[in-house]
């Protein structure tokens, strides 16, 4: 993440940033506006992807 509106990449998982909704889109369709929460979600998704 080099700009505040970039996707947050953790491993091979990158939640996209939505300019219209001003936040990162979770797989469930929720909008996460806090970048720390978005990173934590990406880390959780990456760890589940590695385990599977």
């Amino acid at each position: 993440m080099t700009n505040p509106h970039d996707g947050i990449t953790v491993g091979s998982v990158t939640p996209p940033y939505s300019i219209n909704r001003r936040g990162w889109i979770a797989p469930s369709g929720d909008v996460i506006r806090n970048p720390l929460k978005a990173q934590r979600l990406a880390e959780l998704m990456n760890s589940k992807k590695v385990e599977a």
Side-chain angles (χ1 to χ4, degrees):
M1 184 168 129
T2 56
N3 295 318
H5 303 300
D6 285 347
I8 296 175
T9 302
V10 176
S12 61
V13 177
T14 304
Y17 185 83
S18 172
I19 296 172
N20 295 335
R21 296 182 178 185
R22 294 186 294 185
W24 289 268
I25 307 298
S28 62
D30 296 336
V31 178
I32 303 170
R33 293 190 173 158
N34 185 340
L36 298 177
K37 287 184 180 181
Q39 180 180 1
R40 188 170 54 209
L41 175 70
E43 289 172 354
L44 181 65
M45 289 171 26
N46 187 48
S47 68
K48 286 186 178 182
K49 189 173 186 180
V50 170
E51 291 174 3

